[in-house]
């Protein structure tokens, strides 16, 4: 609850510390104007310890040195400002060298004070030094304060790092969720286009054929209408499946490969429907097609389905189509070529070509579509084979 007031509280705390140090400087040695000036100067410098900790420490160190070496050999009570400045460097400075150097300077200062206080009565033995216990305690206290501040600094930096990692992980999680949603939308769009475009093209062709022969060949008209009904039912089933994926109604028990159930086993049905719609379709398979995964088979199935639909829509009935699938050397190459009028596929079908290109790109393959060398239109897709079915 104090987070929003933290800067104001920090400034107030610095002012309180500076006021205490200045008060001590004025009252501790009121008879010496020099001591009072040095102490008040230290207090004024401490106000800026959060913003320029290294500079404030340097200023306070110089003032403390003047106080000990010039004004008085005995440290004054307001020299505690040097410890406050040291703690400011440890907790607020970004320079790691300054953090360690501040502790060395304070320790060196304690030694200097000890040397300054040596008088003629000292025999030269360390154990006979009258202020030995006092200075050892001061040195230990300064070291303990430095270590305490350094631990606080380390914990704060660790907390910042952990907070940054948590924020980064959350951003990555959101990004992955958006990518997954975009991939799902792209999948649904491709499936809808393939199902609707192919099914409607076949149904329209069969209906037109039935309308033309209904008076002369009733049985053939009935067969065409049965094909229309079967195609409509299958399209409706695919639509239900896609809508279930869109709504997430499959539940946890849904097979994740269910959306890829279309494969080479169902390719014959698509070919037969294209033939019944008036296309002369020939299929050629070369190599071990069993090496294709379910995802690979779905891509091959949809490309063939979309290509036959485009031929039926743009080149018309009577067009010869050759579907070639070869699997060799870790890749599958699919070619769907027809002998229709060159350039007939360039008008319309943009979404279909885009969908086929996206499907191949998902596998890291290559896709091309354009006029064939012998006329007509050629669709070619190369898909790397990564796993066995």
């Amino acid at each position: 609850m104090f987070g929003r007031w933290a800067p104001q509280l920090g400034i107030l705390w610095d002012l309180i510390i500076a006021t205490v140090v200045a008060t001590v400087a004025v009252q501790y040695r009121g008879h010496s104007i020099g001591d009072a000036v040095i102490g008040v100067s230290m207090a004024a410098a401490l106000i800026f310890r959060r913003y320029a900790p290294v500079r404030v420490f340097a200023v306070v160190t110089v003032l403390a040195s003047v106080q000990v070496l010039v004004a008085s050999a005995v440290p004054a009570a307001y020299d505690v400002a040097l410890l406050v400045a040291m703690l400011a460097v440890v907790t607020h400075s970004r320079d790691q060298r300054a953090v360690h150097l501040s502790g060395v300077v304070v320790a060196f200062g304690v030694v200097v004070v000890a040397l300054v206080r040596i008088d003629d009565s000292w025999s030269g033995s360390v154990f006979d030094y009258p202020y030995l216990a006092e200075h050892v305690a001061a040195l230990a206290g300064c070291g303990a304060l430095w270590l305490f501040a350094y631990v606080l600094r380390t914990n704060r930096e660790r907390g910042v790092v952990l907070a940054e990692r948590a924020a980064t992980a959350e951003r990555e999680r959101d990004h992955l969720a958006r990518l997954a949603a975009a991939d799902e939308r792209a999948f649904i769009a491709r499936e809808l286009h393939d199902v609707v475009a192919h099914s409607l093209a076949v149904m329209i062709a069969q209906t037109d054929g039935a309308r033309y022969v209904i008076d002369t060949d009733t049985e053939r008209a009935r067969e065409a209408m049965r094909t229309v009904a079967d195609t409509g039912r299958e399209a409706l089933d695919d639509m239900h499946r896609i809508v279930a994926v869109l709504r997430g109604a499959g539940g946890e028990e849904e097979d994740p490969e269910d959306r890829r159930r279309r494969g080479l086993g169902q390719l014959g049905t698509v070919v037969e429907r294209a033939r019944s719609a008036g296309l002369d379709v020939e299929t050629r398979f070369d190599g071990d097609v069993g090496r294709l995964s379910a995802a690979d088979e779905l891509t091959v199935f949809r490309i063939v389905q979309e290509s036959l639909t485009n031929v039926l829509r743009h080149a018309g009935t009577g067009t010869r189509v050759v579907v070639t699938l070869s699997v060799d050397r870790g890749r599958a190459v699919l070619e769907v070529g027809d002998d229709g009028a060159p350039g007939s596929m360039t008008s319309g079908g943009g979404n279909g070509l885009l969908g086929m290109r996206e499907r191949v790109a998902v596998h890291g393959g290559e896709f091309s579509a354009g006029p064939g060398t012998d006329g007509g239109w050629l669709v070619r897709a190369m898909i790397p084979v990564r796993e066995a079915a």
Side-chain angles (χ1 to χ4, degrees), residues 38-355:
I38 293 175
V40 172
S41 300
M42 288 183 178
L46 291 179
I47 298 177
F48 307 98
R49 66 188 185 92
R50 295 178 186 269
Y51 310 102
V54 177
R55 295 180 181 179
V56 169
F57 179 76
V59 171
V60 173
T61 300
V62 172
L63 292 174
S65 301
V66 171
Q67 188 272 322
V68 172
L69 298 178
V70 178
S72 173
V74 180
Y78 55 78
D79 284 333
V80 71
L82 183 62
L83 297 180
V84 176
M86 179 192 71
L87 296 178
V89 173
V90 177
T91 55
H92 299 294
S93 176
R94 297 182 179 180
D95 190 352
Q96 193 71 21
R97 294 174 299 179
V99 172
H100 295 89
L101 184 61
S102 63
V104 174
V105 170
V106 171
F108 180 74
V110 174
V111 175
V112 170
V113 171
L115 295 177
V116 171
R117 298 183 67 180
I118 295 176
D119 53 21
D120 297 336
S121 62
W122 183 45
S123 63
S125 175
V126 176
F127 298 100
D128 293 337
Y129 180 65
Y131 306 108
L132 177 61
E134 178 181 340
H135 291 300
V136 169
L139 187 62
C142 293
L145 286 176
W146 184 93
L147 184 60
F148 177 75
Y150 189 79
V151 171
L152 291 180
R153 173 193 179 94
T154 303
N155 291 336
R156 185 184 62 194
E157 291 177 347
R158 184 182 295 112
V160 171
V161 171
L162 293 178
E164 291 179 352
R165 288 181 179 178
T168 302
E170 185 175 358
R171 288 193 298 268
E172 291 180 353
R173 185 165 55 250
D174 294 340
H175 181 63
L176 292 176
R178 287 194 295 268
L179 289 179
D183 180 70
E184 196 70 15
R185 286 194 298 268
F187 165 78
I188 293 172
R190 290 193 299 264
E191 290 290 288
L192 281 174
H193 176 272
D194 293 342
V195 170
V196 173
H198 173 74
S199 301
L200 288 181
V202 172
M203 294 170 69
I204 290 173
Q206 293 287 353
T207 304
D208 287 341
R211 182 165 57 89
Y212 290 139
V213 301
I214 191 171
D215 295 329
T216 60
D217 192 345
T218 307
E219 185 59 30
R220 187 176 177 183
R222 288 196 184 99
E223 182 64 26
M225 297 308 296
R226 279 195 293 268
T227 302
V228 171
D230 292 341
T231 304
R233 278 191 291 268
E234 185 172 349
L236 184 61
D237 181 66
D238 285 339
M239 292 291 292
H240 287 163
R241 177 173 56 87
I242 295 173
V243 172
V245 173
L246 182 62
R247 292 179 175 177
E252 297 181 354
E253 297 180 357
E254 180 183 6
D255 185 0
E257 296 294 329
D258 181 64
R259 64 171 60 177
R260 298 175 176 176
R261 60 181 179 175
R262 301 297 184 187
L264 299 182
Q266 292 75 34
L267 193 59
T269 303
V270 175
V271 172
E272 288 301 323
R273 287 179 180 173
R275 288 171 179 168
S276 64
L279 298 180
D280 182 11
V281 184
E282 178 185 355
T283 58
R284 301 172 184 174
F285 296 94
D286 185 21
D288 186 10
V289 296
R291 295 177 56 193
L292 298 178
S293 66
D296 297 334
E297 290 192 15
L298 174 64
T299 301
V300 171
F301 176 86
R302 290 306 189 191
I303 292 177
V304 173
Q305 183 185 52
E306 178 63 23
S307 299
L308 294 178
T309 301
N310 288 339
V311 173
L312 188 61
R313 291 174 56 192
H314 301 287
T317 59
T319 305
R320 175 175 172 78
V321 184
V322 179
V323 179
T324 305
L325 175 63
S326 60
V327 181
D328 185 26
R329 295 181 181 178
R331 67 175 189 172
V333 178
L334 172 66
E335 293 184 351
V336 182
D338 65 80
D339 60 358
S344 62
M345 292 285 291
T346 59
S347 60
N351 291 330
L353 293 178
L354 179 61

Side-chain angles (χ1 to χ4, degrees), residues 2-20 43-52 84 92:
F2 298 104
R4 58 179 299 184
W5 302 103
Q8 292 81 354
L9 292 177
I11 295 175
L12 179 61
W13 179 243
D14 292 341
L15 291 175
I16 293 175
I17 293 177
T19 302
V20 171
L46 291 179
I47 298 177
F48 307 98
R49 66 188 185 92
R50 295 178 186 269
Y51 310 102
V84 176
H92 299 294

